[in-house]
Amino acid sequence: MEIPGLVEITTQEELREIVPQPLAAAAGKARKELHDLDREWLAASPFCLVATSAEDGTCDVSPKGDPAGFTKILDARTIAIPERAGNRRVDGFTNILSNPHVGLIYFLPGRGDTLRINGRARIVREAPFFDEMIVKGNRPQLALLVEIEEIFHHCSKAFLRSQLWKPETWNPDAMPSRPRISKALERPDEELATLEEYYGQAYEDKIYKVKY
């Protein structure tokens, strides 16, 4: 796409003309093993984002959520994330099969700072720790095993700018409801009433009852 007046940066030298080198505290904060504070964070976090890319560079970011502490710490450099049944696309898992590098961001609701982990992932279908990942009777059929290569805490500037955790800024009705989006983009042949029932209370009630 041609955009008049666009000036693109194509080298690191050009980039550093605008963004100076990071301060020592930021440049040197990455570690290779879990600190006790990282363990506490993982124990308190109910949600993370998993970023992956395929061998050809195709990217995906997938949300993962369960009760706080859902990430299993296996040792100082290894964690495991249970996989619950979803839409069966498994885009991130497909990427990992050709490129094991992953990036994770762990959130604490209400907190602006985050915990970031980069590493190499494997998909496992059975392990002794699966029994410790049971939620409401649901034992995962798959899990993501991540060998940590880099871990660090990230500041809250993006959350402060976006005011993400301030309820007075929330506007969930800015977009049509999930059933209406589904009908418009994914399931045009289904009745709206059927989709509203599907995405209603029953949808939440069955999230741990379904398998692939």
Side-chain angles (χ1 to χ4, degrees):
M1 178 181 180
E2 293 295 331
I3 302 177
L6 182 147
V7 180
E8 183 178 357
I9 288 178
T10 58
T11 68
Q12 291 193 36
E13 290 75 17
E14 290 179 294
L15 178 61
R16 286 303 179 188
E17 287 177 6
I18 297 174
V19 183
Q21 293 290 339
L23 299 176
K29 68 179 178 179
R31 294 165 280 106
K32 294 183 179 296
E33 295 188 352
L34 292 165
H35 185 277
D36 285 346
L37 289 172
D38 306 326
R39 293 173 180 267
E40 290 181 35
W41 192 285
L42 292 175
S45 176
F47 181 83
C48 76
L49 297 174
V50 181
T52 61
S53 64
E55 190 174 24
D56 65 0
T58 305
C59 296
D60 180 73
V61 179
S62 179
K64 306 295 178 185
D66 253 334
F70 71 102
T71 295
K72 174 72 176 174
I73 298 173
L74 301 179
D75 61 34
R77 298 191 66 172
T78 315
I79 60 175
I81 302 169
E83 176 70 4
R84 307 296 176 185
N87 60 14
R88 304 181 185 176
R89 285 181 55 100
V90 292
D91 297 303
F93 278 9
T94 301
N95 288 346
I96 287 167
L97 291 174
S98 64
N99 176 9
H101 296 283
V102 298
L104 315 176
I105 300 183
Y106 280 90
F107 296 73
L108 289 184
R111 286 283 293 258
D113 47 335
T114 55
L115 178 67
R116 293 176 56 175
I117 296 176
N118 298 316
R120 297 173 67 89
R122 290 180 283 163
I123 306 166
V124 294
R125 61 185 301 173
E126 185 56 74
F129 55 78
F130 276 36
D131 287 339
E132 301 174 42
M133 294 177 164
I134 296 174
V135 176
K136 296 185 178 180
N138 181 276
R139 188 178 189 271
Q141 295 176 274
L142 297 169
L144 192 65
L145 192 69
V146 178
E147 297 174 7
I148 297 170
E149 295 179 329
E150 186 178 48
I151 182 169
F152 56 95
H153 289 258
H154 196 113
C155 73
S156 60
K157 289 178 182 177
F159 289 80
L160 293 172
R161 293 180 183 122
S162 66
Q163 299 186 314
L164 185 67
W165 299 124
K166 293 189 175 182
E168 62 270 24
T169 71
W170 296 351
N171 185 15
D173 295 326
M175 286 291 295
S177 66
R178 176 60 189 144
R180 290 184 179 276
I181 291 174
S182 180
K183 180 169 178 58
L185 301 178
E186 302 151 9
R187 304 180 181 185
D189 296 332
E190 294 196 36
E191 294 292 333
L192 180 60
T194 301
L195 292 172
E196 288 175 335
E197 181 179 359
Y198 175 79
Y199 285 110
Q201 184 61 46
Y203 187 80
E204 181 176 353
D205 292 341
K206 68 183 180 184
I207 57 175
Y208 286 107
K209 296 178 182 178
V210 296
K211 294 185 178 182
Y212 285 112

